[in-house]
Amino acid sequence: MNQAFREAANQIRQKPVKLTHNQEVARLYRKSLKVLSSWVIDRDIFLDEATKLRGRFDAERGCSNAKGVRLLREAKEELFEHTHPDPYCVAYMPGGSLFMRNPPPPLSICFPDGDIPDDAPKHTMNPDMTICKPETGKSAVGGVLIDFGKKNME
């Protein structure tokens, strides 16, 4: 990638939200389950492995802050090592078969004269067809960078 592309991508990327330790652990647990679901096809095996994974998280609940930071760092490294090369993705997300299949047309196209009815939807849609809400951290107001290599939105 050249410098101009990197600068353009950095302008489009959404700023990361500052998370508490509990939120980071919850997100790590959720990502761990998603990585596990990419590797395990059989539902019974997935449930057994998910129970073991939950046990590993529960065993360290209530530890000191320093140990919690160290465990979080080590867990992120372990998650990176076990990441699937072609992860499963939901059909309506980037990389899925339904991604942007039927996006709603802009209201300016539907009503070229500018006379938009009062009952017309006034919300903005994200590329994954969810409604933009700043509190969710997914807000496509402006531009959204879609990384098809990682199958996510940034």
Side-chain angles (χ1 to χ4, degrees):
M1 286 191 294
N2 63 18
Q3 186 64 26
F5 180 78
R6 275 192 228 111
E7 289 175 10
N10 286 335
Q11 289 178 359
I12 297 295
R13 279 197 180 99
Q14 296 181 15
K15 304 297 181 246
V17 180
K18 181 66 179 158
L19 302 174
T20 65
H21 179 74
N22 287 343
Q23 289 173 323
E24 286 188 46
V25 171
R27 288 189 181 189
L28 178 69
Y29 177 66
R30 187 165 185 225
K31 285 181 185 176
S32 301
L33 287 176
K34 287 183 180 185
V35 167
L36 181 62
S37 72
S38 292
W39 285 106
V40 180
I41 297 171
D42 186 22
R43 187 73 178 165
D44 292 331
I45 296 173
F46 173 79
L47 292 175
D48 291 340
E49 293 297 321
T51 304
K52 292 177 190 174
L53 182 66
R54 179 62 188 222
R56 288 179 65 187
F57 274 83
D58 286 342
E60 302 298 339
R61 178 176 277 176
C63 63
S64 66
N65 286 341
K67 185 177 179 183
V69 170
R70 181 183 55 83
L71 287 172
L72 191 63
R73 185 186 71 247
E74 291 173 358
K76 286 180 181 179
E77 291 170 0
E78 183 180 346
L79 181 66
F80 180 75
E81 291 174 9
H82 291 99
T83 300
H84 197 280
D86 186 23
Y88 172 78
C89 65
V90 183
Y92 56 83
M93 292 299 285
S97 60
L98 296 176
F99 178 67
M100 292 297 288
R101 170 131 346 140
N102 295 313
L107 292 177
S108 60
I109 300 282
C110 296
F111 306 101
D113 59 354
D115 187 24
I116 300 173
D118 294 334
D119 60 344
K122 303 278 192 267
H123 53 268
T124 307
M125 300 291 278
N126 286 314
D128 64 354
M129 306 307 284
T130 58
I131 297 174
C132 289
K133 294 180 185 173
E135 61 269 10
T136 62
K138 288 181 8 180
S139 179
V141 176
V144 175
L145 182 65
I146 298 174
D147 187 349
F148 284 98
K150 292 191 278 181
K151 299 183 178 178
N152 69 356
M153 295 185 307
E154 295 181 3

